[in-house]
Amino acid sequence: MPDSITNIGSYAFANTNLNEITLPQNLKEFSPNAFAFCESLQNIYINDENDKYVDIEGVVYTNDLKTIYSYPSGKVDDSYIVLDSVTNIGDYAFFSNFNLQSITLPSELITIG
């Protein structure tokens, strides 16, 4: 994806057959449901130079690691442990992932979107 992209809207890539995607350096905002129902999407990577988002093993967090932002729809794990630093689960963070059976939440969690 070109670095000129700064915004990705709701359902922009919904129902596509993406396996993975790398979001660009200049991305400032993307809808957490931009990749809804992408059943093959196992990893969302973030360009290392992006100053707003970061990925941890293909899962998107805000750069300060306080918010889990987007968990890929097609990630096949049946459980996930959210980082201890997280205080917020963003709106639609786990939207359309039907493989998860359990999510371990951090003790300092404040908000679930």
Side-chain angles (χ1 to χ4, degrees):
M1 188 172 292
D3 280 333
S4 59
I5 302 294
T6 59
N7 192 325
I8 300 172
S10 292
Y11 303 103
F13 294 95
N15 294 308
T16 60
N17 290 321
L18 293 170
N19 292 319
E20 62 182 41
I21 190 166
T22 300
L23 300 180
Q25 172 182 347
N26 295 321
L27 186 69
K28 299 298 179 209
E29 195 66 40
F30 78 98
S31 174
N33 60 6
F35 304 102
F37 307 110
C38 291
E39 295 176 7
S40 298
L41 184 63
Q42 294 192 29
N43 295 294
I44 303 172
Y45 297 117
I46 304 292
N47 180 295
D48 291 338
E49 302 298 317
N50 188 287
D51 60 3
K52 182 159 184 181
Y53 303 106
V54 64
D55 76 87
I56 306 293
E57 297 179 357
V59 177
V60 180
Y61 288 84
T62 53
N63 220 11
D64 61 4
L65 300 178
K66 292 192 180 288
T67 301
I68 184 168
Y69 195 77
S70 187
Y71 187 92
S73 295
K75 210 160 196 44
V76 295
D77 301 325
D78 63 357
S79 64
Y80 186 70
I81 300 171
V82 176
L83 296 177
D84 285 339
S85 60
V86 168
T87 57
N88 303 294
I89 295 179
D91 293 344
Y92 305 104
F94 294 95
F95 186 67
S96 79
N97 182 294
F98 301 108
N99 298 315
L100 284 172
Q101 300 294 313
S102 69
I103 301 170
T104 302
L105 302 174
S107 60
E108 301 298 317
L109 187 66
I110 298 169
T111 305
I112 298 176

